[in-house]
């Protein structure tokens, strides 16, 4: 019980009794350990509250048992879904109910009645996937649709981009199964169905107030929806329950209504000078019955290449029975709009690309254009759509008066604005300004007839200010309604009624004020590791259960389904490590180490995370400190020092001996056991002749020389796949490039294996030696350097300058690095590759996707007639990860997600492309398939042409 943080022996005994009772009555998991609690301290808001424990119920009986135990001991209960709430309502100091682990099913779907029965932990996208074959869908669709849950959507009355067509979640709810804090099981519906005793008399005594006390606008989410209980509204208890943020009862099942999905859609993107012009135009488009009217400004867009001309855009979707009909409706909207420029897209892939730009705004908005931090807190105020233009002008004026910045975006057609603001939540004056701004903005919203919350709920961020919107008497009525449902104030106390102050429980207050001593430079975070960890705001894109396009993040979460093995979960543990309140042993924390253990260091989050969390770097940093002055795992020596061992084999010319010994099963088993290598793995063969030795023997092709390039002899090409290097030389020379070896008599190394195992002192030593060697090469800094192994190229591009930020040579080397395809595109733009005309399968290397980009590779494949898209995700081997003992199962699961199925389903004549040595090894060991580097494919084609 050492992890129970209580002040007195009596309190500890009480908590121990709660834990024992829960473990004795709940069939699901009960976690009072440090990791379970640390993962639930925050949602996607500015707030942090440390729970006593976490329960993952298996069914409604588990929920009832949890409530009974907590009621008996006076412990609060908080229901939690995807944890993407932005107002703090998914955090609590008692027991957190995590519905995502077990109660996450689609119970049934009836196409005839257009209804579905869902459990609270069901992710929205899973419901959409099940409904789609029937031409149906759930109307509301927040930008977090790939990880938000139906229970959370009901709790917050979520909306999404299609609310102008299909309304809020409350509009789609038919019946709710709920357990109250005192254990009553209710089925909520219309005509007072399921209403707790005392609710009807309370409402009937306040009919006049309820008929006049609520603003009339489509996105009024703030407060309790008591007006849904009016007789003219059908006395709909289920609808009234929506948006109650887990304060009235615990949802265990829901019957929801589905809508007919348009057979075809067209997306019109309308360009305006700025967001004010876009806001003024939005309401005028509503008479055309669009499916969406979404707005965003250029400050939130990483690249405007796919967008029409303008400084802000409206994303207006139109539907139809055919593509032509949908396009015609979209073009009608374009003609009616006064725009700078426009674009109409009917291609589904093109629409997904554009929508991804809008959906990622929830993450990109957390950084200002200059890289400084911005925070939620006033994320989703809503005003009548016709008031949006004037409101935004006043909002901008209020920001300026407080010397604050923020870029609005969101649901312009519904008058609902999302914005992250560059509040200073780290200092007392900054927090004071946060409060004063919040109070004034609440008055401004109310003056425009708006709602403090238009989508994400009040939580702790806005509940304190509800009297400004509703007046004290209505707020008192809310408190009385809460008392009817939950007389003991057991459920999510401090939310909606009798709220905690909006400037208390801020998650930043526990972090160290001085920068932590670290090794990496963290250039995007001012060298501050705390700021790097703060990047994770909890939008949880890393919890997406399916790969989209070429995305990678987060393979270990998809393999395990556990929060601790998501990018967000690891960031939460690092946050708690820095806070030192819950995770008390700093860099020596076993909880953080264990969570990072299954991080593949794929770097997918560096690109796929909307806020650019780089967990691979954080992991390397942590491992460096964790093992500083201590014995490391055997795999850190066997595989972390791989370049040293392979150079030794090359110097002694004993590759034949190593391969012979590795082929003897008992000797191989012993070597793997001693080296911390998974017993299921085969040991790759070492090349008998290294790449550079073999290259010296080859004669140069007689071709006109366009430009010189160095070819980097990375460890994998040099010692394990020399055929890749030789193929690359043939292709580069055929393209007219003078290819020079990077030798200078001494070996060079990017330091990748040392970085991935957290041996950062050794990595910097290796990198400095490499810089010393490279600086002696003629033309260093002017001659491009081609690197064939994507992970090594990524290390030279990013890890090198971030580990040696004060050495100017590191920046020069980093900017000289080109991939194979980049070299051909930039240095031989007129060269035409051989036309191969065959389909391809395989997987874009995760480091290529995250750091290097694969656009030149796509163009090169297209020019060579290589058709087909490479899959996303990660192969699962990920350098040393898949070889380490204890990682084989997760490694294989990652491969089975995208890579191996794509290979099995490929046409017989398909070429399996895999530029990374890890990817080729995984294919060979798990599928018996030989993957090939693109250079090998092109070299073979050149040879065929020459015959």
């Amino acid at each position: 019980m050492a992890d129970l943080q209580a002040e007195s022996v009596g309190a500890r005994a009480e908590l121990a009794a709660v834990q024992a009772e829960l473990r004795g009555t709940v069939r699901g998991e009960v976690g009072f350990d440090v990791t379970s609690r640390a993962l639930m301290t925050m949602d996607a808001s500015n707030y942090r509250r440390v729970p006593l424990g976490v329960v993952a119920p298996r069914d409604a009986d588990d929920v009832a048992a949890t409530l009974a135990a907590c009621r008996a001991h006076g412990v609060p209960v908080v229901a939690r879904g995807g944890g993407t709430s932005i107002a703090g309502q998914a955090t609590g100091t008692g027991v957190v109910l995590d519905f995502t682990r077990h109660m996450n099913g689609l119970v049934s779907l009836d196409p005839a009645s257009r209804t579905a029965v869902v459990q609270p932990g069901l992710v929205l996208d899973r419901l959409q996937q099940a409904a789609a074959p029937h031409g149906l869908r759930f109307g509301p669709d927040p930008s977090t649709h790939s990880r938000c849950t139906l229970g959370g959507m009901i709790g917050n009355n979520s909306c999404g981009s299609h609310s102008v067509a299909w309304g809020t979640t409350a509009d789609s709810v038919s019946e709710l199964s709920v357990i109250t804090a005192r254990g009553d099981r209710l089925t909520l519906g219309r005509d007072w169905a399921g209403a707790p005793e005392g609710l009807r008399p309370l409402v009937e005594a306040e009919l006049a107030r309820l008929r006049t006390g609520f603003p009339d606008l489509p996105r009024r989410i703030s407060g309790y929806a008591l007006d849904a209980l009016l007789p003219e509204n059908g006395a709909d208890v289920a609808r009234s329950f929506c948006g109650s943020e887990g304060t009235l009862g615990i949802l265990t099942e829901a019957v929801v209504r589905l809508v007919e999905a348009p057979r075809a859609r067209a997306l019109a993107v309308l360009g305006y000078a700025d967001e004010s012009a876009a806001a003024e135009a939005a309401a005028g488009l509503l008479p055309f019955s669009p499916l969406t009217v979404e707005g965003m400004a250029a400050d939130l867009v990483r690249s405007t290449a796919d967008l029409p001309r303008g400084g802000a855009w409206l994303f207006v979707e139109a539907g139809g029975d055919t593509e032509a009909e949908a396009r015609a409706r979209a073009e009608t909207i374009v003609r009616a709009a006064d725009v700078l420029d426009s674009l109409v897209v009917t291609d589904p892939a093109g629409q997904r690309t554009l929508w991804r730009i809008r959906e990622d705004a929830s993450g990109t908005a957390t950084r200002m254009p200059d890289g400084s931090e911005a925070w939620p807190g006033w994320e989703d105020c809503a005003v009548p759509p016709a008031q949006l233009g004037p409101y935004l002008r006043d909002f901008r004026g209020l920001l300026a008066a407080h010397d604050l910045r923020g870029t609005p975006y969101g649901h312009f057609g519904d008058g609902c604005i999302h914005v992250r603001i560059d509040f200073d939540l780290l200092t007392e004056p900054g927090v004071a300004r946060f409060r004063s701004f919040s109070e004034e903005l609440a008055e401004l919203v109310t003056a425009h007839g708006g709602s403090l919350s238009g989508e994400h709920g009040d939580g702790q961020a806005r509940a304190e200010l509800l009297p400004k919107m509703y007046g004290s008497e209505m707020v008192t009525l809310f408190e009385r309604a809460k008392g009817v449902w939950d007389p003991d104030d057991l459920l999510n106390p401090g939310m909606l009624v009798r709220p905690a102050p909006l400037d208390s429980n801020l998650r930043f207050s526990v972090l160290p004020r001085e920068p932590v001593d670290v090794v990496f430079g963290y250039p995007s975070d001012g060298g501050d590791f705390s700021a790097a960890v703060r990047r994770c705001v909890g939008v949880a894109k890393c919890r997406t259960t399916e790969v989209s396009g070429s995305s990678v993040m987060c393979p270990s979460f998809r393999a395990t389904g556990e929060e601790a093995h998501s990018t967000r979960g690891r960031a939460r543990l690092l946050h708690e490590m820095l806070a030192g309140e819950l995770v008390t042993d700093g860099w020596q924390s076993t909880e953080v180490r264990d969570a990072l253990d299954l991080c593949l260091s794929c770097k997918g989050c560096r690109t796929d995370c909307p806020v650019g969390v780089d967990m691979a770097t954080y992991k390397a940093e942590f491992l460096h400190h964790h093992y500083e002055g201590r014995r490391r795992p055997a795999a850190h020596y066997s595989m972390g020092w791989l370049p040293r061992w392979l150079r030794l084999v090359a110097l002694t010319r004993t590759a034949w001996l190593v391969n012979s010994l590795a082929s003897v099963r008992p000797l191989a088993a012993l070597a793997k056991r001693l080296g911390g290598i998974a017993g299921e793995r085969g040991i790759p063969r070492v090349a008998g002749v290294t790449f550079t030795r073999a290259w010296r023997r080859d004669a140069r092709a007689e071709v006109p020389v366009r430009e010189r390039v160095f070819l980097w002899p990375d460890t994998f090409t040099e010692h394990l796949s020399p055929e890749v290097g030789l193929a690359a030389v043939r292709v580069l020379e055929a393209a007219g490039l003078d290819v020079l070896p990077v030798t200078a008599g001494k070996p060079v190394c990017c330091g990748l294996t040392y970085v991935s195992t957290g041996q950062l002192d050794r990595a910097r030593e290796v990198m400095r030696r490499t810089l010393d060697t490279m600086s002696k090469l003629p033309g260093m800094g002017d001659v491009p350097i081609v690197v064939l192994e994507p992970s090594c190229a990524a290390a030279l591009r990013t890890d090198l300058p971030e580990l040696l930020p004060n050495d100017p040579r590191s920046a020069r080397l980093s900017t000289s690095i080109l991939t194979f395809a980049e070299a051909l595109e930039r240095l031989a733009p007129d060269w035409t590759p051989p036309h191969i005309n065959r389909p391809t399968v395989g997987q874009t290397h995760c480091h290529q996707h995250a750091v290097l980009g694969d656009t030149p590779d796509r163009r090169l494949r297209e020019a060579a007639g290589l058709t087909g898209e490479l899959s996303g995700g990660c192969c699962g081997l990920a350098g040393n990860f898949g070889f380490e003992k204890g990682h084989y199962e997760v490694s294989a699961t990652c491969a089975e997600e995208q890579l191996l199925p794509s290979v099995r389903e490929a046409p017989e004549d398909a070429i399996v492309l895999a530029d990374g040595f890890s990817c080729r090894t995984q294919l060979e060991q798990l599928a018996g398939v030989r993957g090939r580097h693109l250079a090998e494919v092109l070299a073979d084609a050149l040879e065929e042409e020459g015959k």
Side-chain angles (χ1 to χ4, degrees):
M1 303 300 174
D3 57 304
L4 299 178
Q5 307 295 308
E7 295 181 359
S8 67
V9 173
R12 286 198 298 270
E14 184 76 3
L15 290 174
V18 175
Q19 184 178 173
E21 186 171 343
L22 287 170
R23 286 188 169 147
T25 58
V26 172
R27 294 186 301 111
E29 290 82 5
V30 176
F32 276 61
D33 57 283
V34 169
T35 297
S36 297
R37 298 165 65 204
L39 294 171
M40 299 294 168
T41 56
M42 291 172 278
D43 49 17
S45 72
N46 296 328
Y47 301 99
R48 170 186 176 270
R49 295 190 293 175
V50 180
L52 298 176
V54 181
V55 172
R58 289 191 176 274
D59 52 26
D61 290 341
D62 271 1
V63 173
T66 301
L67 288 169
C70 292
R71 182 171 64 250
H73 296 279
V75 174
V77 177
V78 176
R80 181 177 171 114
T84 57
S85 299
I86 296 180
Q89 61 266 52
T91 68
T93 57
V95 168
V96 174
L97 285 169
D98 177 8
F99 285 102
T100 62
R101 201 171 307 178
H102 300 301
M103 294 182 68
N104 56 12
L106 173 61
V107 178
S108 64
L109 192 152
D110 183 2
S113 64
R114 295 183 181 176
T115 61
V117 181
V118 302
Q119 292 183 315
L122 179 68
V123 171
L124 174 59
D125 270 3
R126 289 182 57 199
L127 174 60
Q128 304 290 37
Q129 290 161 3
H134 307 288
L136 302 174
R137 58 163 291 144
F138 189 68
D141 58 343
S143 61
T144 54
H145 54 82
S146 62
R147 60 270 191 197
C148 70
T149 65
L150 270 296
M153 293 179 67
I154 291 168
N156 291 340
N157 194 11
S158 300
C159 310
S161 60
H162 288 87
S163 59
V164 293
W166 298 315
T168 71
T169 297
D171 295 311
S172 299
V173 164
S174 181
E175 190 176 277
L176 301 177
S177 298
V178 169
I179 303 179
T180 69
R182 291 194 171 179
D184 296 325
R185 301 197 186 203
L186 308 175
T187 301
L188 314 183
R190 294 175 65 85
D191 297 323
W192 296 108
E197 185 179 352
L199 184 62
R200 184 169 184 172
L202 176 68
V203 169
E204 290 179 343
E206 299 284 352
L207 293 178
R209 188 181 309 283
L210 294 180
R211 285 182 172 125
T212 60
F214 292 89
D216 182 20
L217 69 161
R219 287 294 193 98
R220 189 259 301 162
I221 305 299
S222 283
Y224 290 131
L226 297 180
D227 56 328
L229 299 173
L230 289 167
E232 58 267 32
N233 293 332
D236 194 337
V237 183
R239 186 184 182 94
S240 176
F241 188 88
C242 293
S244 59
E245 301 179 19
T247 61
L248 303 182
I250 303 298
L251 177 72
T252 59
E253 197 170 271
V255 180
V256 297
R257 290 187 290 270
L258 306 175
V259 297
E260 186 175 356
R263 294 181 180 177
R265 301 185 195 205
L267 177 61
V269 184
L270 312 178
Y272 296 87
D274 54 37
E275 101 252 344
S276 293
E280 294 280 4
L285 303 179
L286 297 178
F288 296 93
S289 300
L291 301 176
T292 69
V293 183
E294 299 289 288
M296 68 184 301
D299 285 352
L300 300 175
V301 181
R302 289 173 174 169
S303 170
T304 60
D306 296 319
L307 295 169
R309 182 169 50 91
W313 300 272
L314 291 179
F315 289 62
V316 186
E317 190 177 71
D321 288 334
T322 65
E323 180 180 311
E325 183 180 344
R327 175 178 280 277
R329 289 178 177 174
E331 289 175 344
T332 298
I333 291 172
V334 171
R335 287 193 296 271
D338 183 14
V339 296
L340 292 177
D341 195 8
S342 64
L343 173 70
V344 175
V345 179
T346 55
D347 169 52
Q351 292 184 56
R352 283 194 297 272
T353 297
L354 290 165
W355 274 122
R356 199 171 298 125
I357 295 172
R358 161 62 186 88
E359 290 172 359
D360 280 353
S362 61
T364 55
T366 65
R367 293 278 156 167
M368 303 305 295
D370 62 3
S372 57
E373 296 167 311
W375 304 106
W378 287 94
E379 174 71 10
D380 63 321
C381 299
V383 297
Q387 286 290 311
L388 185 58
Y391 165 72
L392 275 180
R393 284 194 294 272
D394 290 346
F395 173 75
R396 284 289 190 188
L398 186 62
L399 282 175
H402 285 267
D403 195 23
L404 294 169
R405 296 175 298 162
T407 302
Y409 68 99
H411 315 294
F412 282 23
D414 271 339
C416 180
I417 293 301
H418 297 320
V419 63
R420 302 290 178 108
I421 300 172
D422 65 338
F423 295 121
D424 167 17
L425 299 177
L426 299 173
T427 67
E428 287 188 16
V431 173
R433 181 166 54 170
F434 167 61
R435 166 170 280 281
S436 61
F437 174 85
S438 299
E439 292 172 341
E440 292 182 40
L441 182 57
E443 294 171 354
L444 177 63
V445 171
T446 302
H448 282 275
S451 173
L452 303 186
S453 172
E455 180 162 25
H456 294 301
D458 298 310
Q460 187 176 343
R462 290 176 282 270
E464 183 188 356
L465 301 172
L466 285 177
K468 293 182 181 292
M469 174 180 171
Y470 284 115
S472 58
E473 292 182 352
M474 180 67 82
V475 170
T476 298
L477 184 57
F478 290 161
E479 293 175 359
R480 292 169 60 198
K482 161 76 167 173
V484 169
W485 284 91
D486 179 20
D488 307 310
D489 200 18
L490 194 75
L491 302 179
N492 215 1
M495 299 296 135
L496 273 176
V497 300
R498 295 181 290 277
L502 62 86
D503 52 357
S504 64
N505 302 321
L506 292 173
R507 66 185 178 122
F508 318 99
S509 62
V510 295
L511 293 177
R513 289 294 177 261
E514 297 298 323
V516 178
D517 186 22
V518 288
V519 182
F520 278 96
Y522 301 101
S524 299
D525 298 291
D528 185 354
F529 185 67
S530 293
V533 171
R534 286 200 305 269
R535 277 182 174 270
C536 179
V537 293
V539 295
K541 191 176 179 181
C542 51
R543 282 180 56 95
T544 302
T545 55
E546 294 185 3
V547 173
S548 174
S550 63
S551 64
V552 174
M553 179 186 72
C554 175
S556 53
F557 173 76
R558 290 194 300 275
T560 65
E562 296 183 17
E563 174 81 10
H565 300 303
S566 69
T567 305
R568 181 179 71 174
R570 295 177 180 118
R572 292 293 179 256
L573 281 160
L574 286 167
H575 184 108
E576 295 304 325
M577 180 193 81
L578 293 172
E581 176 187 334
L582 188 56
V583 178
T584 57
D585 45 0
W587 295 112
Q588 303 307 310
S589 168
T590 55
E591 293 85 7
V592 178
R593 181 201 65 199
D594 292 346
L596 289 170
D597 181 57
L598 292 187
C599 171
L600 285 80
S601 297
C602 65
K603 291 186 179 287
C605 50
R606 187 177 178 117
T607 293
D608 295 341
C609 172
V611 294
V613 169
D614 185 359
M615 194 54 62
T617 297
Y618 306 169
K619 176 182 179 179
E621 185 77 60
F622 175 84
L623 291 177
H624 168 80
H625 295 281
H626 186 75
Y627 289 110
E628 195 167 17
R630 302 165 63 194
R631 184 177 178 181
R632 290 174 164 271
H636 288 196
Y637 301 108
S638 63
M639 288 177 283
W641 292 12
L642 186 64
R644 170 182 285 189
W645 306 136
L646 290 175
R647 281 199 298 273
L648 181 60
V649 170
L651 287 171
T652 57
R653 305 203 177 196
T654 54
W656 63 273
L657 178 60
V658 172
N659 293 333
S660 297
L661 294 175
S663 66
V664 179
R665 187 170 297 176
L667 293 177
L670 176 62
K672 286 186 281 188
R673 187 162 60 250
L674 293 175
I677 297 172
E680 300 91 338
R681 287 292 175 189
I683 298 176
R685 290 182 60 83
V686 181
V689 179
T690 64
F691 161 57
T692 50
R693 284 178 182 163
W695 186 6
R696 294 190 195 106
R697 297 175 184 174
D698 279 357
R700 293 283 181 94
E702 295 297 329
V703 294
V705 174
R706 298 171 183 261
E707 188 168 346
R708 290 191 303 161
V709 294
F710 287 120
L711 186 58
W712 182 275
D714 64 84
T715 295
F716 305 99
T717 302
E718 175 74 354
H719 300 284
L720 300 170
S721 298
E723 65 278 5
V724 171
L726 296 173
V729 171
R730 289 198 293 274
V731 176
L732 293 170
E733 289 184 343
L737 302 178
D738 184 15
V739 187
L740 305 173
V742 175
T743 55
K746 293 183 179 180
V748 292
C749 180
C750 67
L752 169 69
T753 59
Y754 302 102
V755 172
S756 63
T757 53
Q759 301 179 76
L760 300 185
D761 287 339
R762 177 66 177 160
R764 291 198 291 189
E765 181 185 336
V766 168
M767 289 174 175
R768 286 193 187 99
R769 278 208 309 265
T770 293
L771 291 174
D772 291 341
T773 299
M774 294 297 294
S775 63
K776 297 174 184 176
L777 290 175
M780 171 57 192
D782 299 319
V783 178
I785 303 169
V786 181
V787 184
L788 301 174
E789 174 63 39
S791 56
C792 294
L796 291 167
R797 282 257 184 101
T798 59
D799 295 329
L800 172 64
E802 290 175 16
L803 278 171
L804 298 175
N806 298 320
D807 189 331
R809 300 176 302 171
S810 66
R812 287 200 299 271
L813 178 56
S814 173
T815 55
S816 299
I817 300 301
L818 295 178
T819 67
F820 174 71
E822 284 175 337
L824 289 171
E825 182 171 88
R826 295 185 193 179
L827 308 179
D830 299 326
W831 179 70
T832 302
H835 196 74
I836 301 169
N837 194 30
R838 285 177 63 183
T840 59
V841 293
Q843 193 168 54
T844 302
H845 192 286
C846 51
H847 288 188
Q848 178 113 30
H849 166 78
V851 176
L852 307 168
D854 67 341
T855 302
D857 298 74
R858 291 172 179 269
R859 286 195 282 257
L860 179 56
R861 293 198 302 269
E862 183 180 354
L866 295 170
T867 60
E869 288 291 321
L870 304 189
S871 65
C874 178
C875 75
L877 194 61
N880 58 290
F881 175 85
F883 274 99
E884 289 185 10
K885 184 179 180 181
H887 292 172
Y888 180 81
E889 184 177 349
V890 169
S891 175
T893 301
C894 291
E896 285 290 354
E897 183 186 27
Q898 293 279 321
L899 177 60
L900 298 188
S902 72
V903 171
R904 293 190 195 105
E905 297 163 9
E908 287 188 10
D909 63 337
I911 296 171
V912 180
L913 286 176
D915 281 0
F917 177 77
S918 290
C919 304
R920 295 195 296 272
T921 302
Q922 188 80 312
L923 283 165
E924 180 182 350
Q925 295 197 355
L926 296 187
V929 173
R930 182 176 182 268
R932 307 177 72 199
H933 195 287
L934 181 57
E936 294 181 275
V937 176
L938 294 177
D940 287 351
L942 286 172
E943 188 173 334
E944 286 295 318
E945 280 188 349
K947 289 182 179 178

